Amino acid sequence: MSSTTHRTDTRAVVEALSYRHCPLDRTPTRDDAVLAAYKHLLTHRTVSRLALVGNVYPRCDAGLDADTWYESLVMPLLGELPGVSPPGPGTAVWRYAPE
């Protein structure tokens, strides 16, 4: 699979999210922020909240403060994406394990 196809596929997956568990309204910049968080996880396979906020938030803040960005946007949506395991009890580590 070419990187262009992969990029298109990840964007399509993010754009297909329902936002039903997200307290925020969907906007293109919020989709871009979730996409950037997902791509960061795909690249690193495991990431912490600190890593997401430190590496993704500064370039894709979606007009939100860091806490709202993570708690209200990334947390409810990132876990709905293919291959993503959200942090379990007592951990802040997201995992990507393709099926």
Side-chain angles (χ1 to χ4, degrees):
M1 178 185 307
S2 76
S3 63
T4 304
T5 303
H6 183 66
R7 234 179 282 127
T8 302
D9 290 346
T10 55
R11 175 162 293 285
V13 168
V14 168
E15 289 175 352
L17 288 169
S18 71
Y19 275 66
R20 73 178 174 273
H21 298 295
C22 180
L24 303 171
D25 292 331
R26 167 179 251 136
T27 67
T29 58
R30 290 177 183 161
D31 276 355
D32 289 346
V34 174
L35 179 61
Y38 188 45
K39 286 181 175 183
H40 189 77
L41 179 58
L42 293 176
T43 300
H44 297 282
R45 303 292 178 161
T46 60
V47 295
S48 67
R49 172 190 177 134
L50 185 61
L52 286 170
V53 172
N55 294 298
V56 179
Y57 173 76
R59 19 183 203 91
C60 296
D61 67 13
L64 304 167
D65 64 72
D67 286 337
T68 302
W69 180 87
Y70 183 80
E71 296 288 334
S72 298
L73 182 66
V74 172
M75 234 177 128
L77 296 173
L78 190 58
E80 292 185 24
L81 294 169
V84 176
S85 295
T91 180
V93 176
W94 293 86
R95 298 186 187 288
Y96 176 71
E99 298 165 16

